[in-house]
């Protein structure tokens, strides 16, 4: 465990160039759900640059429920994303679904995203672990916090300390939101583990009208950044349009959240008190815990 | 509907003496899960007075899952609460379970609490509606936001505009918290209805170690107050000790949250922008909605 | 506990006249969701008599989600039900929601139904317990099996051994059925307690097209009877029409299930083997179980 | 779609040698959760042969929640399974997790199992689809029936008609069973699709004491076979021992279920009536259904 603990203590902050995830400043990762065209991607990259959003997201491979839905542009789509992002100096996060695409991704993206549906795809977790590349690990929509942290352990134990976890809502009976955003997950991970935590507001809520108050809540309870879907024309998006912000709406959201961010960043620069007792996760606990270790659902 | 709409537009702020719930200042409602003894209640009331918590909670009748668990001291317990609260100038909220106890409660408490298990106990809803007394209506732990608002309508349509709704977590598969705090509920209610919204952190989380970050999150997304369980000696509480704060812990929580509250109250005094499009609930929508109106679960 | 245990061992079979619930023969309880009119009730009673369904159900008070939905005909509706049922020699089960209506119900119905929304309405549970009348206790749609049995204990400990429990589906994320029928509940109750168990297929499924296979499944796993909603004209029902059978469909269902019932009743007449190890519930377990006894959700 | 429909109409029965899945006779698939040793596998194979269980299961790669739990013996384990199964004339089903292992599996197993955690691993679904080999597709523990059928479509649209779907319980709030067995899923799939349906009782229940009544229920509502975990010494199993039957218990279960199976097979030989209206799934519906097609959870 000593090996692993060492990695974990380093993973407090994940660095991509001069961007820090899990540091003093909160980050934003924005972009379209799916890469659709050069024009869409280029317009979005321009907008993000203008609004000082440092990381661009965009799906080349879309894990769609139905084989008859738009599946993404694949590797060609990823190249579209890379060209625009590089041109505007943005870092890139994109979802990898198949371990056989790893080399292609490693040459192109800054953060490998492991999606909600693949949180327990252990061959994939091991491969991204071996790669040493920063990984954004999304919580499964049916996974417990403990399962999320154990999935992170699959990556960490391969020697990759650069893991960022992402709360994105869990499946419940409530129909007014696409999923139920579980902000206790953020606070629990922060208590148990030094990993940075991101909140994906778009998938959590599935609607844009309550995004500002929940963005405030996510930051107030300690998350390190937000992932938000943006589209030049949400009503024409090939997937998830109803939860995507237009450029104007993103601008308004960032403006609306700024005063709180300044307040929180000021508060963080002061010495911490109440929460300072939280320790690192004791992975050994999980190993000893036969009941949960046994759980395959 | 005009009658009802009129009430609703008034219900924006619920007043108990000079306490405003739903106004500029955030409120706290604290006290023991169950009233156990004069000493316990008196110590708690003293503490609340000292910490400027204006409203005291305490259960005289406990809706316990098992008939073999402590059921509360009943009407005698309520009198204990009333004496201490009055002595220290605190307002009182306590749960009513049986419509036959209504007169007893009306003489003694300031806010009638309808508990999670009784959210759809329509005879009880109608009675507290007829009473005209402020009502704290807790969301059922497996009720949707729409069902919560429709339960509120049962009270409002009896002519009682003084309804406060309370998010207290919903039942999901996540075991690290007692329930899953659904803060989107707060934002959704705020969008749809002018009713004040309280968050019960103790029942939502069932643990105290992550209460501060979630308290911040709850306020940041717009709730009007918090309900928190406090006990002179949580480890000896007859019910829910694991989720109760000691007096020292409550003090620390209130101190920890103060800077954010000052920031938010300052922000609220400025003219609103982004969220200002939200309208009042259109009760008629529910009436027309046959699918949902039909839902009995 | 000795008192209670004695009652429990007697409660194996609940008798209403010469009808046995929990005995060798399986029973059916059918009728409309809500009592709407004399004609509707009379036609249904005639149909049930003709098809040898011995127990008629019908709601006088409907616990509707919305105050703007049809609320039932109330006490007048109950009298309509009583007249038709008596005329055709049918026993009556109907839901009581308010303890203040108890005397009215005791004079008229054979089985007091406590609905899903009231499973943890402890004042109501105690009152029907004191009455000594047979009680059909429905599982809350958000309640665990243990909570169901503890709710039954509230009635049993008042000295009323005549408790029938009813599985009626739990709330999950699956949208194709109104609730998720949890047949493990039937087997678990049968293992732990000698109480008769009924399955409410209509509320479990919310649709009629898969009722026959699930009726077979419910009987095959040991339930003592089925509750099924029937309406002379389901498409015109004031509530829950989509889950109600027409008279023809009920006839077809009863015909379709008959061969299996004959097989199962034949099997039951033989000496039992595998399942014979199951004991009665040890109520004391619940009392000692602080974790669960404490659970208020 | 015509291509696909043609395949689907053929897929009614999946044949492995002279074993038919989805035909007149019900099938059993038994074996250990994880392959642990030659001795364990050989003893189990002998037992299955003796009890006329035609298909053996056994996990070579275990998708464990924790990287510190036993992960299975891998490809070497699969060879152990293959040797014993072939020696005793048993067909083999085993879970594939990584598309890169496909060739190895194709040479050795008769049915490729896609596990619950991989139900939406679309690269894997496409690969097993291209292989043309029979596939046992397990429902995700928090997937809807529609999502299960759409995952099946990923395999079917690659030209592989030999798909068997498997209900294995969904994740709910009920703690007395590992998952909640959703038998409505069996009936719904049977109404919508000609695919054979298997029920995995071990993962659904997570306990053995109520397996017989639920086995009866599963068959009564129309499933085509059961998957059950067996171990020479369940208390020493490296995974999932608490839900595994011993050889004696399996013998008793098969004996206990036999009379019902004979009854049901007799009933099935007669011309069907009530359920005969069910058609094949109209895949096009899913394609047109933008709301659901969009759903990524």
């Amino acid at each position: 465990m000593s090996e692993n603990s060492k990695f974990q203590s380093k993973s407090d902050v994940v660095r991509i160039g001069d961007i820090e995830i899990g540091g003093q400043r909160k980050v934003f990762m924005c972009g379209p759900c799916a890469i659709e065209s050069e024009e869409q991607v280029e317009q979005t990259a321009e907008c993000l640059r203008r609004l000082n959003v440092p990381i661009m997201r965009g799906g080349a491979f879309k894990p769609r429920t139905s084989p008859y839905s738009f599946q993404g542009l694949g590797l060609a789509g990823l190249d579209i994303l890379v060209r625009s992002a590089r041109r505007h100096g943005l870092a890139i996060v994109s979802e990898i679904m198949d371990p056989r695409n790893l080399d292609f991704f490693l040459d192109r993206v800054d953060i490998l995203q492991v999606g909600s549906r693949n949180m327990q795809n252990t061959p994939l977790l091991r491969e991204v672990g071996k790669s040493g590349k920063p990984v954004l690990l999304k919580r499964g929509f049916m996974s417990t916090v403990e399962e999320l942290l154990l999935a992170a352990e699959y990556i960490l134990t391969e020697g990759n300390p650069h893991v960022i976890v992402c709360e994105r809502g869990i499946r419940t009976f409530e129909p007014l939101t696409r999923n139920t955003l579980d902000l206790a997950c953020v606070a629990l991970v922060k208590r148990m583990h030094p990993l940075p935590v991101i909140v994906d507001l778009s998938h959590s809520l599935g609607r844009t009208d309550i995004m500002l108050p929940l963005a405030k809540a996510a930051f107030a309870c300690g998350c390190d950044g937000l992932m938000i879907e943006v589209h030049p024309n949400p009503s024409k998006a090939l997937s998830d349009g109803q939860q995507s912000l237009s450029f104007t709406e993103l601008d308004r959201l960032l403006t609306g959240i700024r005063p709180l961010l300044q307040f929180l960043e000021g508060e963080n620069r002061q010495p911490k008190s109440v929460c300072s007792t939280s320790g690192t996760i004791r992975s050994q606990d999980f190993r000893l815990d036969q009941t949960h270790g046994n759980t395959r659902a």
Side-chain angles (χ1 to χ4, degrees), chain A residues 92-242:
Chain A
I92 297 170
V93 55
S94 192
E95 177 172 356
I96 180 165
M97 290 172 62
D98 191 329
R100 296 170 298 186
N101 291 334
L102 187 61
D103 286 341
F104 193 91
F105 271 73
L106 288 178
D107 291 344
R108 286 163 177 81
V109 309
D110 302 291
I111 307 174
L112 297 164
Q113 178 176 319
V114 175
S116 192
R117 281 170 180 67
N118 283 306
M119 191 199 87
Q120 296 191 313
N121 181 339
T122 51
L124 184 62
L125 295 175
R126 290 194 193 280
E127 291 299 329
V128 300
K130 282 177 198 148
S131 78
K133 195 88 166 181
V135 178
L136 181 80
L137 175 65
K138 286 195 152 186
R139 181 181 184 184
F141 57 86
M142 63 277 194
S143 299
T144 65
V145 173
E146 187 183 355
E147 288 168 348
L148 170 63
L149 291 177
L150 286 167
E153 291 290 305
Y154 271 96
I155 304 170
L156 295 166
T157 55
E158 294 293 339
N160 185 349
H162 309 301
V163 179
I164 305 154
V165 297
C166 178
E167 158 66 24
R168 43 79 75 215
I170 54 174
R171 187 169 272 191
T172 71
F173 58 83
E174 172 58 58
L176 288 186
T177 46
R178 182 167 176 173
N179 292 284
T180 294
L181 174 58
D182 179 15
L183 286 180
C185 170
V186 176
L188 287 166
V189 174
K190 285 284 168 194
R191 263 197 80 71
M192 295 194 285
H193 219 300
L195 301 175
V197 183
I198 295 291
V199 169
D200 176 344
L201 278 185
S202 303
H203 284 88
S204 295
L205 303 178
R207 52 193 290 167
T208 60
D209 58 344
I210 55 171
M211 220 173 249
L212 180 58
L214 274 307
K216 291 178 176 177
F219 281 128
C221 82
C223 88
D224 297 299
L226 294 184
M227 175 172 270
I228 297 170
E229 291 185 352
V230 197
H231 194 280
N233 189 343
S235 64
K236 298 217 171 150
L238 294 183
S239 66
D240 288 344
Q242 78 291 347

Side-chain angles (χ1 to χ4, degrees), chain A residues 13-16 18-30 52-56 91 93 111 136 164-165 196-200 215 218-219 223-228 254 257 261 265:
Chain A
V13 172
V14 172
R15 284 183 184 77
I16 293 113
D18 55 357
I19 306 166
E20 287 188 356
I21 305 177
Q24 287 279 92
R25 297 204 49 185
K26 308 295 187 183
V27 297
F28 289 85
M29 305 177 176
C30 303
N52 283 314
V53 172
I55 306 172
M56 184 168 187
V93 55
I111 307 174
L136 181 80
I164 305 154
V165 297
V197 183
I198 295 291
V199 169
D200 176 344
F219 281 128
C223 88
D224 297 299
L226 294 184
M227 175 172 270
I228 297 170
L254 295 173
I257 197 92
L261 283 188
E265 287 167 7

